[in-house]
Amino acid sequence: ILGMCSKQIDYNFSSIVEFAELKDSIDMPVKHYSSGMYVRLGFAIAAHVEPDVLILDEVLAVGDMAFVAKCFQHLSSIRKKTAIILVSHDMRNISRICDSALFLEDGEQSYFGGTSNTINCYRKAMNFSRKTVCSYNDGVIDIRGVEVNRTVTQFYGADIKLKLYIKEKVRFIAN
């Protein structure tokens, strides 16, 4: 598992299960795990390996706040000895972990630089306040933003007006 030999797995097993907070379901077949349980277990295993490079693709998008906080605490502790590549659309996570970032638009490099500058470039590209004309291609529409005209605390019988902003697919990769 991630390059660990069976002795390392045996040695780290209880610590991995504890980190993943899966004590009650560790004996359940993995095929029955939820996506959150998969992420917990995968991150817990990765946390017990000492990689030179750790690649995380939207891995922190799943999980409760306490687990995500634990993951960030671990990432902060390994930053000096491990290169972390984080693929995410969550600018808070990007700014928490990354010193530099790469913004890809339509699969091409749009900007590379310091994290705050890259995030500003991303936000400008995602300019949610601008009206966007969209076309319907092959039945696929990507929504790039939603604006609610008023706050609605109760949905029963309430009118909700939404403005949808459409944009082609965009990927954001940071390191």
Side-chain angles (χ1 to χ4, degrees):
I1 299 175
L2 294 180
M4 283 195 278
C5 67
S6 58
K7 284 183 183 180
Q8 290 172 308
I9 294 169
D10 291 341
Y11 179 79
N12 290 312
F13 184 78
S14 60
S15 182
I16 290 169
V17 172
E18 182 181 329
F19 189 98
E21 301 170 4
L22 293 173
K23 181 181 176 191
D24 295 336
S25 39
I26 196 63
D27 292 325
M28 179 172 47
V30 177
K31 68 181 180 180
H32 297 298
Y33 278 19
S34 68
S35 59
M37 293 166 79
Y38 273 118
V39 169
R40 284 174 174 270
L41 184 58
F43 194 94
I45 293 168
H48 287 80
V49 177
E50 295 182 11
D52 294 324
V53 178
L54 180 62
I55 302 172
L56 304 170
D57 186 353
E58 294 288 2
V59 71
L60 301 175
V62 180
D64 59 76
M65 288 190 326
F67 184 74
V68 171
K70 184 193 306 190
C71 293
F72 274 110
Q73 194 172 30
H74 177 73
L75 292 173
S76 294
S77 73
I78 67 168
R79 279 183 72 184
K80 290 185 177 160
K81 59 185 177 193
T82 301
I84 300 170
I85 299 173
L86 176 63
V87 180
S88 181
H89 290 89
D90 188 329
M91 297 306 109
R92 291 171 302 185
N93 290 347
I94 298 287
S95 61
R96 249 173 125 172
I97 293 295
C98 305
D99 297 320
S100 60
L102 170 64
F103 170 38
L104 296 178
E105 194 166 14
D106 301 325
E108 301 291 326
Q109 178 177 328
S110 181
Y111 185 85
F112 176 76
T115 303
S116 61
N117 289 340
T118 306
I119 289 172
N120 287 336
C121 183
Y122 174 77
R123 286 187 174 138
K124 285 178 186 172
M126 297 294 103
N127 187 1
F128 293 131
S129 62
R130 180 181 62 176
K131 285 192 174 185
T132 305
V133 177
C134 66
S135 60
Y136 189 77
N137 284 335
D138 300 321
V140 177
I141 295 178
D142 293 321
I143 299 171
R144 75 181 269 205
V146 177
E147 179 183 308
V148 180
N149 287 337
R150 63 183 176 134
T151 304
V152 178
T153 56
Q154 193 176 44
F155 291 100
Y156 304 103
D159 291 334
I160 300 174
K161 293 181 181 179
L162 299 176
K163 291 182 181 178
L164 300 178
Y165 299 93
I166 311 301
K167 175 81 173 137
E168 292 181 81
K169 291 182 182 174
V170 174
R171 290 187 59 99
F172 191 91
I173 300 176
N175 121 355

